[in-house]
Amino acid sequence: MNNQFTDQELAFRDEVRNFLKVSLPKTTSERVLNGLRLTKEQRVQWQKVLYDKGWIAPNWPVEFGGTGWSATQKYLFEHECAAAGAPEVIAFGLKMVGPVIYTYGTEQQKKRFLPDILKSDVWWCQGFSEAAAGSDLASLQTTATLDGDNYIVSGTKTWTTYAQHADWIFCLARSPDRSLKNQQAINFLLIKMDTLGIKVSPIMMLDGQREINEVHFDNVVVPAENLIGEPNKGWSYAKMLLTHERTNIAKVAISKTRLKNLRKMASEPPKGGVALIDDHAFALKLAELEIELRSLEYTEMRTLAAVSSGGAPGPESSILKIKGTEVAQFIDELYVEAAGYYCLPFVNDQFHSDTNAEFPREHHIGQGSETDRAPWYFNNRKASIYGGSNEVQKVIICKSVLGL
């Protein structure tokens, strides 16, 4: 595979760099590069900037608002955005339900939903997982019963990211027809979050942040026109969506930027000490990480090339998902190791332990945000579970690639 860029591709890279330099808010990029959370408003603001530029949906077909970029241009764009500290676009609308709608939706659904997704005027969340249906998603128990021109939806979804912000949810719900097998009785519905009977309950994380939720449906009335595709075919549409989600989870560009910052952090000796990069054991871990990340990058480039030729992510998405999450979690581990004592979480600008109360947060947070490393480490352990656990991805690879 040729990984040398042409003059035209280098000119495109420079165009992206100049755009980011001028258009990306500095306060936003600083928070991203320091591993700090963004508000909904900050994320939407950046997505609207991308929309105005015409760069909000690189992976969409041109007829629906895509850029028409080559695989190389998409690669360059992602890596320049990550290096500059540009926020990731929220995947639920642009990278997950959007492709499902323009692939399987009716013309009316495309006209109704796609423009608002592109303009970031509507925030979406994903209603897939349940308490007893995570990796075994086909076992979901939320029901959708057809009653005239409406579906009546009842059940509970969990781990629903950013549901507290969402205007709409794309939801998998089971037909009451018990004669059908699990996968053959699932509907893919679009549901407005302010519909009567929907209740959102927060799930607080270890770092005290609210990122995930439970969403309860109590006889929620959903117009039948909000069904995507055919009745009981939702599993097929969900599988297509999940291949896109797993490909996105790889996050190669972001991992490269984080690794670069980690190396910089490890190269700066503490006062009166020796730089961590000079520790042989730590240097070996960095080298191993760089090899893994480079291999992952080439796999991602091959997948992008296949998709740009008119294909869709296949079993490669499972490989990307497994290795992408393993690499990201390896980076988290080394950040915690590099931060050492200072990775401990704070409460009210002090350590949890009273014995450490003399060390205020601002003395140590620095450019590396060392004090946020432990919460991020714990939060990111979930990456090997969501989007289909890594164990499930290995089963997919065994069946689809190895024929076992």
Side-chain angles (χ1 to χ4, degrees), residues 19 41-56 89 116 118-122:
F19 166 72
E41 291 71 25
Q42 287 171 318
R43 290 183 176 276
V44 170
Q45 177 193 20
W46 174 239
Q47 291 182 192
K48 286 185 175 293
V49 171
L50 289 175
Y51 172 76
D52 290 340
K53 181 67 173 176
W55 289 357
I56 187 61
V89 299
D116 282 339
L118 283 173
K119 292 185 287 187
S120 299
D121 285 344
V122 170

Side-chain angles (χ1 to χ4, degrees), residues 142-146 151-154 173-176 187 189:
T142 296
T143 58
T145 305
L146 186 62
Y151 283 95
I152 309 301
V153 178
S154 293
R174 178 172 304 285
S175 164
N187 293 306
L189 291 167

